[in-house]
């Protein structure tokens, strides 16, 4: 049984994230969505809000669970007895960043990373950019699930 972890801040969850989740769920026996804290970004959502939003959007995937990740990814992966980290990449810049993180996770925890390239329709979706334009009242419903768009509207009023 191959267990994989898809870590991220998911602030907010986008259709790009959901696409990676759905594709990874087909590749692995179990997929753990690890909701972490990105210390380089200001979060719009609390961890429990993010977990609920994600759970509501993946409930049809029986081999997927969503949990908080309090620390380092490689330590969490070991704690979950997983063998693989899954990451989505949108661009060459993402690839270079993720390649370096994959090497670090391999050296620290002997963990493999699988990079799933984003579908073209999702390549321009960035959580940071979506939060920024939402603050100015832009309709982001084409980029995020309905429950996420509704909560963003409430938080940006």
């Amino acid at each position: 049984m191959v267990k994989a972890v898809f870590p991220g801040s998911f602030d907010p969850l986008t259709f790009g994230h959901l696409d990676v989740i759905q594709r990874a769920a087909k590749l692995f026996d179990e997929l753990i969505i690890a909701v972490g804290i990105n210390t380089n970004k200001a979060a719009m959502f609390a961890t429990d809000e993010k977990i609920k939003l994600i759970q509501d959007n993946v409930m049809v995937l029986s081999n997927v669970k969503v949990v908080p990740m309090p620390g380092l990814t490689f330590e969490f992966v070991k704690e979950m007895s997983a063998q693989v980290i899954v990451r989505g990449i949108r661009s060459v810049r993402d690839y270079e960043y993720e390649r370096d993180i994959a090497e670090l996770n391999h050296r620290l925890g002997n963990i493999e990373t699988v990079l799933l390239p984003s579908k073209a329709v999702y390549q321009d979706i960035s959580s940071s950019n979506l939060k920024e334009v939402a603050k100015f009242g832009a309709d982001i419903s084409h980029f995020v699930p309905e429950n996420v768009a509704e909560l963003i509207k409430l938080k940006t009023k």
Side-chain angles (χ1 to χ4, degrees):
M1 182 168 133
V2 180
K3 189 184 297 189
V5 172
F6 179 34
S9 57
F10 305 102
D11 192 62
L13 175 72
T14 68
F15 287 135
H17 292 130
L18 284 175
D19 179 60
V20 170
I21 291 166
Q22 291 163 350
R23 291 163 55 205
K26 292 177 184 175
L27 297 174
F28 300 101
D29 298 305
E30 184 177 346
L31 179 65
I32 301 166
I33 302 169
V35 180
I37 299 168
N38 186 334
T39 57
N40 295 322
K41 296 179 183 177
M44 176 177 279
F45 299 101
T47 300
D48 60 330
E49 289 176 309
K50 292 187 268 188
I51 289 171
K52 174 78 169 101
L53 291 168
I54 297 167
Q55 285 174 331
D56 289 348
N57 283 282
V58 300
M59 64 177 53
V60 298
L61 302 171
S62 62
N63 65 332
V64 174
K65 69 179 180 179
V66 186
V67 297
M69 181 178 66
L72 294 171
T73 302
F74 83 92
E75 291 174 341
F76 179 82
V77 171
K78 292 287 190 184
E79 183 181 312
M80 295 288 107
S81 300
Q83 299 82 26
V84 177
I85 296 171
V86 173
R87 298 295 295 159
I89 55 172
R90 297 168 295 183
S91 64
V92 171
R93 186 174 60 243
D94 279 356
Y95 169 76
E96 290 173 344
Y97 173 79
E98 294 297 345
R99 179 201 59 209
D100 292 347
I101 298 298
E103 180 61 25
L104 183 61
N105 284 322
H106 191 267
R107 287 184 182 183
L108 292 171
N110 197 30
I111 299 163
E112 294 297 333
T113 299
V114 171
L115 302 177
L116 291 178
S118 175
K119 291 183 179 174
V121 68
Y122 302 122
Q123 287 179 349
D124 60 342
I125 301 175
S126 154
S127 293
S128 298
N129 290 343
L130 291 180
K131 285 190 292 191
E132 184 67 22
V133 298
K135 287 178 186 174
F136 290 96
D139 177 15
I140 62 167
S141 62
H142 292 96
F143 305 105
V144 298
E146 185 177 337
N147 63 339
V148 175
E150 289 172 4
L151 192 53
I152 289 174
K153 279 184 188 175
L154 290 173
K155 288 184 175 275
T156 57
K157 280 186 177 184

